[in-house]
Amino acid sequence: NIPSPKYQEFSLEELNDNPNEYYINLEQSLKLPFVVKPIDLVGSYGFNLIHNFGEFLSLKSNIDKRFQYESEEYIDGTLYH
C-alpha cells in the first residue's frame, strides 16, 4: 500500500492565459499543496511546491520554459524506492 501521487501534464499556456481558472482546477483535482516539476530533470531542479495562488502566479516568471512540466499531488511521508 505505497501511495502514488495523482498527476497530470502542466500547461504553460493555461498558466499564462487562464491562471485563475487553471489554479482552481489543479487545486480541486490535486488538493493543496501540489507540486509542479519538470518531467525530464533529476533531483530538485525546477521543483515547485504550491501552497496558494500567489505561489502559483510566481511560476509565470520563475519557471524555466525550456522544459516540459507536470503537476502532481503532494504526498508527505517516507519515500520508498
Side-chain angles (χ1 to χ4, degrees), residues 13 22 24 26 30 40 42 50 59 62 70 73-74 78:
E13 293 80 22
Y22 192 38
I24 291 169
L26 289 172
L30 302 175
D40 49 0
V42 297
I50 306 299
L59 291 174
N62 296 334
E70 71 177 10
E73 175 184 31
Y74 176 71
T78 303

Side-chain angles (χ1 to χ4, degrees), residues 5-7 10 30 32-51 55-56 58-59 62-65 67-77 79:
K6 293 183 273 183
Y7 66 93
F10 185 78
L30 302 175
L32 288 176
F34 61 86
V35 172
V36 176
K37 65 181 187 177
I39 63 170
D40 49 0
L41 294 175
V42 297
S44 62
Y45 181 78
F47 177 91
N48 297 276
L49 183 58
I50 306 299
H51 294 93
E55 291 176 352
F56 183 73
S58 72
L59 291 174
N62 296 334
I63 204 163
D64 189 335
K65 294 171 181 60
F67 302 106
Q68 185 177 4
Y69 289 79
E70 71 177 10
S71 49
E72 70 179 38
E73 175 184 31
Y74 176 71
I75 296 178
D76 190 17
L79 176 64

